[in-house]
Amino acid sequence: MSGRKAAVIDTLLETGLSCLYPDKIKITVGMATCGLAAGAGAVHAAIAQRLKQRSLEAVLTKTGCLGCCQQEPLVDVRLPGAGRVVYTHMTRPRARALVDELARGALPTGGAWTAIDEEDTPLERQARRFPRVFGFEKIPAHTEIPFFARQRRIVLRNCGLIDPTRIEEYVARGGYRALEQVLSAWSPEQVIAAVSASGLRGRGGGGFPTGMKWQVARQTPAGQKYLICNGDEGDPGAYMDRTILESDPHSVVEGMVIGAYAVGASQGYAYVRDEYPLAVERLATAIIQAEQHGLLGKAICGSGFDFKINIVRGAGAFVCGEETALIASLEGGAGEPRPKPPYPAEVGLWGQPTVINNVKTWATIPVILDRGAAWYAGLGAPKNAGTVVFSLVGQVANTGLVEIPLGMRLGELLNEIGGGGIDGRAIKAVQTGGPSGGCLPAELFDLPIRYEDLKEAGSIMGSGGMVVLDESACMVDVARYFLDFTAAESCGKCTACREGNQHMRQILTRIVQGRGEPGDLALLEEIGAAVKASSLCGLGQTSPNPVLSTLRYFRSEYEAHILEKRCPAGVCRLVPEV
Amino acid sequence: MPELVINGIPYHAAPQANLLEAIRRAGVDLPTLCYLEGLPPYGACRLCLVEVTPSGSPAPAEPAVVAACAYPVRADLRVETHSVRVVAIRKLMLEFLLARCPTSRVLQDLARAAGLDSPRFATDGQADELCILCGLCVRVCQTAIGAAAIGFAGRGSDRRVAAPFSLQSEACIGCGACAAVCPTGAITIEDVDGQRYLRTWNTVVPLKPCPGCGQPYTPEPLSFLRELGAGIDHLWGFCPACRRKHAAALFTGK
């Protein structure tokens, strides 16, 4: 164990603990994109100004996304020695009133949603407990709120709880301990064995066993190997990867350094979509900080191992989330997929063995190495180890980011965590896996969330998008809406996807406009099955899913459009004589 | 050596062999449009689709469908080239292409052979479109010729082949390889008054006259080859007929 390295982590740890739990009042504003979009920037400025006006000594800081995005802006207040109190929907007037109350030595109960008395992190074996702030006994603890209680936050372990721009806080919650351990005491083969034993499957959507992918790359002889972090999250309404990069970028950096050591890569690229400027900024800061402390770059942790990460921004194509198209883009070409085999782990970036994994997969690695493969394998379900992060959006009460153990029933996620439908309407269907996923009806809500179960039901796990739909949604229109997206994003290289998606789109447009014909449904099924089977890449192989699954489970809505020229949900304007 | 069982009959293939080549050597013909031996496979047209199952695994109800031209054989495989399912899928791909290019004779011939009468889909773009976006012109220009004068522009149904910004190409050497490899004759090249018009690329390339007969022959941009070609200097710029006469004269001393 390098004496120099141990000292670095220890110093960071001490500083980090005093940042997380200072002796002063600490006010934290949620400032990931969700918070900022809701006005957190102005709230932060208002608090800063008021603190100065009242000459109140307090620490004002920022954090990432806690996951309950629709409650943003979130402000949490920590009185010295006590647990936090979380306020929701914060406004500037209320923020100023909050500071005024604090100046009087009190804390307002109005607008307080929950108290966080217990802070556990998967990297520590014991939760830190704090006494409840006096006067807030009636406010539910966050462990009592179903939205939080039923989650298992491992990938999201630090999101909303640390300042993402302070490496000290990441270390204080156990960060970089796994890396230090691995570099001082493990061989690359041991790392790969642990990742394999954990059962971790790629969280970008493919669900391919991560350990196996690393093993292939390790075994392929080559002078240069690469690592890529796929941050091109393109599913509309899905922002899990964005949140992690904005709220806990060091988890990705640490995961990548461990992976590079295991595979033998000396260069890594984080490909982040151009539409995520804050994520790029926070990740860039994390990279600089890690380098400054010898946790990235040359001679990491005093060992002989070198690895650097460069950030590359995308240029606006959904298809670049597909690994071979991403590689083509990194090489300077247009985002066009390549036939597989060979797979990137054998022939990837510039023809070299390349391990490309999703943001969430990288963020999981440090926890697996620290807590152990057996621990991770024990979570979730057989062949579906661990947890998945979902972006729960649409016509559901609690929208935001949630992380649950695999195997949880779909209904539990939607009703207990999601809080059920809105405005008194029942949930009719849920689309899982983004625009290439399938729509599953309420009758299937007993389905366990597992890769194979979702696939058999006609959907996919995907990267974690989960769009909830109620009776006000027309399933034919929903299918058309998603197909519009995938057809527009098709790169156009292969006949199947380029032409097939266009024709399906045209048929669906006719149907929602009242010009559907009886043969249309069989034709959609024929085209959909063929495009799925014969497309060159994952985009075409999954783009028919919304159409095929709605035909399977909501056929009566299609039939009403075609035979009765009627939209049961009352959404489509059917004008037969156009 | 991987063992391929093609339509129930076992064959041996070289490791990393191209599946399409192996299938053809086994005597089975598959239609292709975007494949040309000597150029790296592309997998775009989706006409050479076959079903593959790793040997030793139970055959699934719907085996994986792959483009044979872009599939390297690495392990023992079972291959079905003419199952009801894959024949139907290939026919649909042809139907898509025919809908895109209804006037293409090549596609019409393929369609007739496949028993396809007329596509069920309307033609969206130009009725006289002949380009099937197979990429052979792009690949030959990039890989075999090395000029990389044309490439793909646009995405999805807007995809097309063009020189940068569809303007006169600065890199085109007027060799005509693109037109030679195009499977549907979509590229027109016309020599008029000492100029080679590559209309499809909005590009004109001047032609230098043959020293023998004075007819325009060598594309001007190819002049750089003269410096590279030791031993051909005395024949440089001659058209084929004059080259024969000139070489014969040199040989016989006349």
Side-chain angles (χ1 to χ4, degrees), chain B residues 26-49:
Chain B
V28 177
D29 196 20
L30 282 177
T32 58
L33 282 172
C34 74
Y35 179 72
L36 191 63
E37 219 183 315
L39 288 179
Y42 199 49
C45 73
R46 309 320 272 175
L47 285 193
C48 67
L49 299 172

mmCIF file of all heavy atoms in Angstrom, chain B residues 26-49:
data_model
loop_
_atom_site.group_PDB
_atom_site.id
_atom_site.type_symbol
_atom_site.label_atom_id
_atom_site.label_comp_id
_atom_site.label_asym_id
_atom_site.label_seq_id
_atom_site.Cartn_x
_atom_site.Cartn_y
_atom_site.Cartn_z
ATOM 1 N N ALA B 26 -20.637 -23.137 -51.575
ATOM 2 C CA ALA B 26 -21.444 -24.345 -51.365
ATOM 3 C C ALA B 26 -22.504 -24.505 -52.437
ATOM 4 O O ALA B 26 -23.299 -25.446 -52.410
ATOM 5 C CB ALA B 26 -22.094 -24.289 -49.979
ATOM 6 N N GLY B 27 -22.528 -23.561 -53.382
ATOM 7 C CA GLY B 27 -23.435 -23.711 -54.501
ATOM 8 C C GLY B 27 -24.795 -23.053 -54.323
ATOM 9 O O GLY B 27 -25.679 -23.204 -55.157
ATOM 10 N N VAL B 28 -24.939 -22.301 -53.231
ATOM 11 C CA VAL B 28 -26.219 -21.632 -53.010
ATOM 12 C C VAL B 28 -26.072 -20.177 -53.447
ATOM 13 O O VAL B 28 -25.119 -19.501 -53.079
ATOM 14 C CB VAL B 28 -26.606 -21.672 -51.520
ATOM 15 C CG1 VAL B 28 -27.904 -20.910 -51.284
ATOM 16 C CG2 VAL B 28 -26.727 -23.120 -51.058
ATOM 17 N N ASP B 29 -27.002 -19.723 -54.248
ATOM 18 C CA ASP B 29 -26.894 -18.334 -54.681
ATOM 19 C C ASP B 29 -27.779 -17.444 -53.820
ATOM 20 O O ASP B 29 -28.910 -17.799 -53.496
ATOM 21 C CB ASP B 29 -27.293 -18.188 -56.148
ATOM 22 C CG ASP B 29 -26.811 -16.855 -56.705
ATOM 23 O OD1 ASP B 29 -25.872 -16.262 -56.102
ATOM 24 O OD2 ASP B 29 -27.359 -16.384 -57.698
ATOM 25 N N LEU B 30 -27.246 -16.324 -53.459
ATOM 26 C CA LEU B 30 -28.015 -15.332 -52.708
ATOM 27 C C LEU B 30 -27.914 -14.016 -53.452
ATOM 28 O O LEU B 30 -26.857 -13.678 -53.957
ATOM 29 C CB LEU B 30 -27.430 -15.130 -51.303
ATOM 30 C CG LEU B 30 -27.731 -16.162 -50.236
ATOM 31 C CD1 LEU B 30 -26.996 -15.805 -48.955
ATOM 32 C CD2 LEU B 30 -29.226 -16.252 -49.967
ATOM 33 N N PRO B 31 -29.022 -13.271 -53.522
ATOM 34 C CA PRO B 31 -28.925 -11.975 -54.201
ATOM 35 C C PRO B 31 -28.113 -11.004 -53.349
ATOM 36 O O PRO B 31 -28.182 -11.056 -52.115
ATOM 37 C CB PRO B 31 -30.400 -11.526 -54.263
ATOM 38 C CG PRO B 31 -31.065 -12.214 -53.130
ATOM 39 C CD PRO B 31 -30.339 -13.503 -52.909
ATOM 40 N N THR B 32 -27.331 -10.169 -54.004
ATOM 41 C CA THR B 32 -26.637 -9.100 -53.289
ATOM 42 C C THR B 32 -26.647 -7.860 -54.162
ATOM 43 O O THR B 32 -26.717 -7.954 -55.380
ATOM 44 C CB THR B 32 -25.164 -9.442 -52.994
ATOM 45 O OG1 THR B 32 -24.512 -9.706 -54.232
ATOM 46 C CG2 THR B 32 -25.018 -10.620 -52.074
ATOM 47 N N LEU B 33 -26.599 -6.722 -53.547
ATOM 48 C CA LEU B 33 -26.489 -5.476 -54.304
ATOM 49 C C LEU B 33 -25.335 -4.628 -53.791
ATOM 50 O O LEU B 33 -24.656 -3.973 -54.569
ATOM 51 C CB LEU B 33 -27.805 -4.683 -54.226
ATOM 52 C CG LEU B 33 -28.921 -5.190 -55.137
ATOM 53 C CD1 LEU B 33 -30.235 -4.478 -54.838
ATOM 54 C CD2 LEU B 33 -28.549 -5.015 -56.587
ATOM 55 N N CYS B 34 -25.082 -4.668 -52.461
ATOM 56 C CA CYS B 34 -24.063 -3.778 -51.915
ATOM 57 C C CYS B 34 -22.739 -4.480 -51.666
ATOM 58 O O CYS B 34 -21.829 -3.913 -51.082
ATOM 59 C CB CYS B 34 -24.559 -3.109 -50.635
ATOM 60 S SG CYS B 34 -24.604 -4.181 -49.190
ATOM 61 N N TYR B 35 -22.628 -5.738 -52.116
ATOM 62 C CA TYR B 35 -21.401 -6.498 -51.859
ATOM 63 C C TYR B 35 -20.557 -6.565 -53.113
ATOM 64 O O TYR B 35 -21.065 -6.839 -54.202
ATOM 65 C CB TYR B 35 -21.750 -7.914 -51.402
ATOM 66 C CG TYR B 35 -20.541 -8.769 -51.133
ATOM 67 C CD1 TYR B 35 -19.746 -8.538 -50.015
ATOM 68 C CD2 TYR B 35 -20.178 -9.797 -52.009
ATOM 69 C CE1 TYR B 35 -18.627 -9.324 -49.766
ATOM 70 C CE2 TYR B 35 -19.065 -10.576 -51.762
ATOM 71 C CZ TYR B 35 -18.286 -10.336 -50.638
ATOM 72 O OH TYR B 35 -17.181 -11.106 -50.399
ATOM 73 N N LEU B 36 -19.271 -6.304 -52.980
ATOM 74 C CA LEU B 36 -18.347 -6.426 -54.105
ATOM 75 C C LEU B 36 -17.040 -6.967 -53.553
ATOM 76 O O LEU B 36 -16.462 -6.397 -52.626
ATOM 77 C CB LEU B 36 -18.123 -5.063 -54.762
ATOM 78 C CG LEU B 36 -17.401 -5.060 -56.100
ATOM 79 C CD1 LEU B 36 -18.211 -5.820 -57.147
ATOM 80 C CD2 LEU B 36 -17.159 -3.636 -56.573
ATOM 81 N N GLU B 37 -16.612 -8.092 -54.101
ATOM 82 C CA GLU B 37 -15.366 -8.676 -53.618
ATOM 83 C C GLU B 37 -14.238 -7.687 -53.834
ATOM 84 O O GLU B 37 -14.130 -7.092 -54.900
ATOM 85 C CB GLU B 37 -15.086 -9.950 -54.401
ATOM 86 C CG GLU B 37 -14.529 -11.046 -53.534
ATOM 87 C CD GLU B 37 -14.195 -12.286 -54.330
ATOM 88 O OE1 GLU B 37 -15.039 -12.677 -55.158
ATOM 89 O OE2 GLU B 37 -13.095 -12.820 -54.149
ATOM 90 N N GLY B 38 -13.411 -7.523 -52.826
ATOM 91 C CA GLY B 38 -12.328 -6.562 -52.951
ATOM 92 C C GLY B 38 -12.607 -5.295 -52.172
ATOM 93 O O GLY B 38 -11.687 -4.533 -51.875
ATOM 94 N N LEU B 39 -13.863 -5.059 -51.848
ATOM 95 C CA LEU B 39 -14.199 -3.919 -50.995
ATOM 96 C C LEU B 39 -14.678 -4.457 -49.652
ATOM 97 O O LEU B 39 -15.302 -5.516 -49.608
ATOM 98 C CB LEU B 39 -15.306 -3.076 -51.626
ATOM 99 C CG LEU B 39 -14.944 -2.245 -52.839
ATOM 100 C CD1 LEU B 39 -16.180 -1.502 -53.325
ATOM 101 C CD2 LEU B 39 -13.827 -1.260 -52.516
ATOM 102 N N PRO B 40 -14.414 -3.732 -48.582
ATOM 103 C CA PRO B 40 -14.899 -4.225 -47.293
ATOM 104 C C PRO B 40 -16.417 -4.330 -47.299
ATOM 105 O O PRO B 40 -17.090 -3.480 -47.857
ATOM 106 C CB PRO B 40 -14.436 -3.161 -46.290
ATOM 107 C CG PRO B 40 -13.903 -2.028 -47.076
ATOM 108 C CD PRO B 40 -13.711 -2.452 -48.475
ATOM 109 N N PRO B 41 -16.978 -5.396 -46.704
ATOM 110 C CA PRO B 41 -18.433 -5.540 -46.722
ATOM 111 C C PRO B 41 -19.115 -4.441 -45.913
ATOM 112 O O PRO B 41 -18.525 -3.883 -44.999
ATOM 113 C CB PRO B 41 -18.679 -6.915 -46.089
ATOM 114 C CG PRO B 41 -17.421 -7.304 -45.448
ATOM 115 C CD PRO B 41 -16.315 -6.475 -46.003
ATOM 116 N N TYR B 42 -20.350 -4.144 -46.279
ATOM 117 C CA TYR B 42 -21.049 -2.993 -45.715
ATOM 118 C C TYR B 42 -22.337 -3.387 -44.996
ATOM 119 O O TYR B 42 -22.670 -2.826 -43.975
ATOM 120 C CB TYR B 42 -21.347 -2.024 -46.849
ATOM 121 C CG TYR B 42 -21.647 -0.608 -46.427
ATOM 122 C CD1 TYR B 42 -20.828 0.081 -45.542
ATOM 123 C CD2 TYR B 42 -22.748 0.070 -46.941
ATOM 124 C CE1 TYR B 42 -21.105 1.382 -45.172
ATOM 125 C CE2 TYR B 42 -23.024 1.374 -46.589
ATOM 126 C CZ TYR B 42 -22.198 2.038 -45.704
ATOM 127 O OH TYR B 42 -22.459 3.328 -45.354
ATOM 128 N N GLY B 43 -23.059 -4.327 -45.546
ATOM 129 C CA GLY B 43 -24.270 -4.809 -44.883
ATOM 130 C C GLY B 43 -25.456 -3.884 -44.983
ATOM 131 O O GLY B 43 -26.297 -3.849 -44.097
ATOM 132 N N ALA B 44 -25.553 -3.095 -46.063
ATOM 133 C CA ALA B 44 -26.611 -2.074 -46.154
ATOM 134 C C ALA B 44 -27.874 -2.544 -46.872
ATOM 135 O O ALA B 44 -28.971 -2.201 -46.464
ATOM 136 C CB ALA B 44 -26.081 -0.825 -46.855
ATOM 137 N N CYS B 45 -27.725 -3.295 -47.977
ATOM 138 C CA CYS B 45 -28.917 -3.546 -48.797
ATOM 139 C C CYS B 45 -29.860 -4.548 -48.150
ATOM 140 O O CYS B 45 -31.064 -4.504 -48.387
ATOM 141 C CB CYS B 45 -28.545 -3.982 -50.211
ATOM 142 S SG CYS B 45 -27.907 -5.667 -50.359
ATOM 143 N N ARG B 46 -29.322 -5.461 -47.315
ATOM 144 C CA ARG B 46 -30.116 -6.467 -46.584
ATOM 145 C C ARG B 46 -30.767 -7.469 -47.535
ATOM 146 O O ARG B 46 -31.837 -8.004 -47.257
ATOM 147 C CB ARG B 46 -31.201 -5.849 -45.690
ATOM 148 C CG ARG B 46 -30.786 -4.775 -44.742
ATOM 149 C CD ARG B 46 -29.478 -4.964 -44.036
ATOM 150 N NE ARG B 46 -29.553 -5.710 -42.793
ATOM 151 C CZ ARG B 46 -28.516 -6.076 -42.058
ATOM 152 N NH1 ARG B 46 -27.303 -5.769 -42.462
ATOM 153 N NH2 ARG B 46 -28.662 -6.731 -40.927
ATOM 154 N N LEU B 47 -30.124 -7.750 -48.650
ATOM 155 C CA LEU B 47 -30.680 -8.775 -49.533
ATOM 156 C C LEU B 47 -30.068 -10.140 -49.300
ATOM 157 O O LEU B 47 -30.658 -11.146 -49.678
ATOM 158 C CB LEU B 47 -30.474 -8.399 -51.014
ATOM 159 C CG LEU B 47 -31.375 -7.310 -51.591
ATOM 160 C CD1 LEU B 47 -31.268 -7.278 -53.101
ATOM 161 C CD2 LEU B 47 -32.832 -7.543 -51.197
ATOM 162 N N CYS B 48 -28.901 -10.203 -48.698
ATOM 163 C CA CYS B 48 -28.244 -11.502 -48.543
ATOM 164 C C CYS B 48 -28.517 -12.083 -47.152
ATOM 165 O O CYS B 48 -27.682 -12.769 -46.579
ATOM 166 C CB CYS B 48 -26.748 -11.383 -48.803
ATOM 167 S SG CYS B 48 -25.869 -10.412 -47.570
ATOM 168 N N LEU B 49 -29.707 -11.800 -46.619
ATOM 169 C CA LEU B 49 -30.043 -12.238 -45.267
ATOM 170 C C LEU B 49 -30.185 -13.755 -45.180
ATOM 171 O O LEU B 49 -30.760 -14.380 -46.069
ATOM 172 C CB LEU B 49 -31.362 -11.607 -44.822
ATOM 173 C CG LEU B 49 -31.387 -10.084 -44.749
ATOM 174 C CD1 LEU B 49 -32.815 -9.608 -44.497
ATOM 175 C CD2 LEU B 49 -30.486 -9.590 -43.633
#
